């Protein structure tokens, strides 16, 4: 499907869509943003705002995009739970044949809640696994631990021996490759806290192989997130494959390579075609160094699967001018979606019902801000928006990844409800938090 852009009459600002998830439908005057076949205004009225809405069809299409692009390579897509950990989405993904990448005991428990058999497809990464978390994963029988330090290796060997359960492991190596992304989410450089320097990995594998209850079967790597240039992925894989050759020469039986996640999306001028193409380019970059290696490839995409499949629906509350600046105050805030505040991230903001300029509307450059008591609480700054009036509903696009999973109760705001749409059907997959929910654990 190609990109469709709708320009609001009388106003040059182009309004983006995200097929197959979010598209405008209906006759010209009554044009309205839909999630698949469901009008978003209906959902906002029924469930209130702020509201997260996800498209099952878009999630399926993205998973299929990965599976098709990697068809010539034995592989498993292990969806990265941190991107969006809602149980209903995990169930949907398990049904599509996905495994899971988890980074905490909590995330593992979510996967186990989907079905204990899902443990067989779990890779467990993270620099700070506790003994209790290791025990949980050992008992569940996960596929592989991505070990991030020598000290962690020792603890895991002890726990596995105590439980008499073999821990299949990969050592997460730090390839010292520059990923060209936001510094907070770049992980593959020498000075980052992640993994073991690739130069020291061989020695660590030797130690691991000597432990009775550890089975080193793979090598893992993850260089960062929101990476749009696929070259660093290819370079990383070349370094990893070189290491695997050495490990095999050392007598180790390495059969898995975990490429991590990190494939970025376009937050502006995005389209399904571009998305599919970028997955294909990513696949080519990764698979080239793997040719003939007889390795099973594990992938840990998060954002590329769910980001464009989700939007945050919010209502404009007030418009005001301060110091010559125009502000639009909406009912969602940084506690619902922190990406703009934390990373300066760009998210397109579109009206559910595009309208023409009138007495009550504001248009042109404005700051779209939430009600939280921080200047950093914004969704857009100096953004040219089409005409919008207080009371209007807006969609903040590409919010399916790292939106709800990073949400908090800051300012004692209950977290938003979540709805999953599939064709004509819409289902609440998390109800809105009430005040009682928020204070439940307090004395
Ligand atoms: N695997 C590991 C070991 C990871 O640390 C991550 C993300 C992933 C996979 C998935 O990466 P993805 O395919 O989603 O890029 N909150 C930030 C992103 C943080 C990413 C952390 N690790 C954001 O909103 O941009």
């Amino acid at each position: 499907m190609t990109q469709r852009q709708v320009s609001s009459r009388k106003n040059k600002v182009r309004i983006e869509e995200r097929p197959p998830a979010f598209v405008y439908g209906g006759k010209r005057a009554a044009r309205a943003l839909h999630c698949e076949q469901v009008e978003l205004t209906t959902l906002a009225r029924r469930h209130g705002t702020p509201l997260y809405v996800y498209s099952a069809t878009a999630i399926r299409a993205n998973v299929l995009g990965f599976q098709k692009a990697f068809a010539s390579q034995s592989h498993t897509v292990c969806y990265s739970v941190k991107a969006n950990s809602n149980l209903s989405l995990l169930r949907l993904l398990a049904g599509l044949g996905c495994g899971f990448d988890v980074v905490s005991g909590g995330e593992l428990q979510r996967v186990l809640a989907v079905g204990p058999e899902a443990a067989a497809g779990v890779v467990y990464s993270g620099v700070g696994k506790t003994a209790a978390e290791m025990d949980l994963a050992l008992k569940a029988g996960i596929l592989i631990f991505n070990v991030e330090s020598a000290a962690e290796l020792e603890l895991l060997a002890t726990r596995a021996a105590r439980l008499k359960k073999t821990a299949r492991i990969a050592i997460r190596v730090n390839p010292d490759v520059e990923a060209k992304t936001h510094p907070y989410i770049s992980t593959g450089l020498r000075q980052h806290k992640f993994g073991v320097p690739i130069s020291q990995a061989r020695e660590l594998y030797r130690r691991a192989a000597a432990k009775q209850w550890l089975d080193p079967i793979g090598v893992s790597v993850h260089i960062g997130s929101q990476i749009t240039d696929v070259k660093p992925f290819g370079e990383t894989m070349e370094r990893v494959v070189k290491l695997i050759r050495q490990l095999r020469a050392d007598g180790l039986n390495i059969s898995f390579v975990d490429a991590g996640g990190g494939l970025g999306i376009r937050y502006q001028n995005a389209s399904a075609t571009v998305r599919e193409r970028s997955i294909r380019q990513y696949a080519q970059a990764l698979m080239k160094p793997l040719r003939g290696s007889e390795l099973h490839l594990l992938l840990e995409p998060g954002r590329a699967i769910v980001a464009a499949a989700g939007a945050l629906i919010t209502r404009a509350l007030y418009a005001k001018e301060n110091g010559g600046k125009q502000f639009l105050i909406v009912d969602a805030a940084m506690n619902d979606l922190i990406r703009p505040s934390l990373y300066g991230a760009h998210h397109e903001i579109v009206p559910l019902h595009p309208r023409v300029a009138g007495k009550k509307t504001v248009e042109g450059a404005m700051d779209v801000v939430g009600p939280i008591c921080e200047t950093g609480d914004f969704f857009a700054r100096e953004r040219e928006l089409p005409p919008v009036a207080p009371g209007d509903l807006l969609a903040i696009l590409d919010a399916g990844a790292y939106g709800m999973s990073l949400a908090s109760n800051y300012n004692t705001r209950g977290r938003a409800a979540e709805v999953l749409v599939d064709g004509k059907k819409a289902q609440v997959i998390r109800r809105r938090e009430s005040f009682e929910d928020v204070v439940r654990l307090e004395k």
Side-chain angles (χ1 to χ4, degrees), residues 360-427:
K360 289 190 233 143
T361 62
V362 287
E363 58 190 300
M366 63 185 94
D367 281 20
V368 180
V369 302
I372 281 180
C373 309
E374 297 209 22
T375 303
D377 179 27
F378 63 86
F379 293 112
R381 284 186 151 164
E382 299 286 324
R383 178 85 58 87
E384 292 279 335
L385 285 193
V388 51
D392 284 3
L393 288 162
L394 301 166
I396 305 176
L397 299 180
D398 303 315
Y402 306 109
M404 188 61 175
S405 62
L406 271 112
S408 76
N409 293 124
Y410 189 37
N411 278 203
T412 306
R413 290 167 53 88
R415 274 174 291 183
E418 294 175 291
V419 169
L420 179 61
V421 171
D422 196 353
K424 286 189 200 143
K425 277 188 315 198
Q427 192 196 348

Side-chain angles (χ1 to χ4, degrees), residues 80 82 101 172 185 222 225 261-262 300-303 339 343 402:
S80 191
K82 65 175 82 65
D101 155 49
R172 174 168 171 185
I185 54 177
H222 170 79
S225 192
E300 303 175 0
R303 185 188 322 262
R339 302 195 70 258
Y343 315 110
Y402 306 109

Side-chain angles (χ1 to χ4, degrees), residues 167-310:
R168 285 174 293 276
I169 66 153
I171 290 173
R172 174 168 171 185
V173 297
N174 186 321
D176 197 22
V177 167
E178 167 87 67
K180 300 192 197 97
T181 182
H182 190 284
Y184 288 6
I185 54 177
S186 169
T187 56
L189 282 179
R190 228 174 346 180
Q191 62 269 31
H192 294 145
K193 70 178 174 183
F194 299 97
V196 172
I198 195 161
S199 54
Q200 294 167 24
R202 224 169 148 186
E203 168 53 28
L204 208 55
Y205 272 98
R206 228 171 272 146
R207 255 204 259 172
K211 309 261 189 209
Q212 189 188 348
W213 296 96
L214 296 187
D215 188 9
I217 58 163
V219 176
S220 87
V221 75
H222 170 79
I223 56 172
S225 192
Q226 183 52 17
I227 301 167
T228 47
D229 172 8
V230 301
K231 250 192 262 128
F233 290 117
E235 237 174 83
T236 298
M237 202 38 75
E238 275 165 29
R239 293 185 193 190
V240 168
V241 168
K242 198 170 143 210
L243 171 67
I244 291 175
R245 267 194 232 114
Q246 294 170 342
L247 296 173
R248 283 175 166 173
D250 291 344
L252 288 171
N253 191 6
I254 304 291
S255 49
F256 287 86
V257 62
D258 181 343
L263 177 64
I265 64 149
R266 274 212 211 163
Y267 283 91
Q268 275 171 283
N269 300 319
S271 75
T273 324
V274 169
R275 208 160 47 243
E276 275 167 32
R277 195 194 314 138
S278 96
I279 295 174
R280 279 200 307 273
Q281 287 168 347
Y282 172 68
Q284 276 149 21
L286 285 189
M287 291 191 304
K288 196 165 158 238
L290 288 176
R291 229 167 267 152
S293 64
E294 297 198 357
L295 287 159
H296 184 86
L297 173 65
L298 301 171
L299 300 158
E300 303 175 0
R303 185 188 322 262
I305 303 288
V306 290

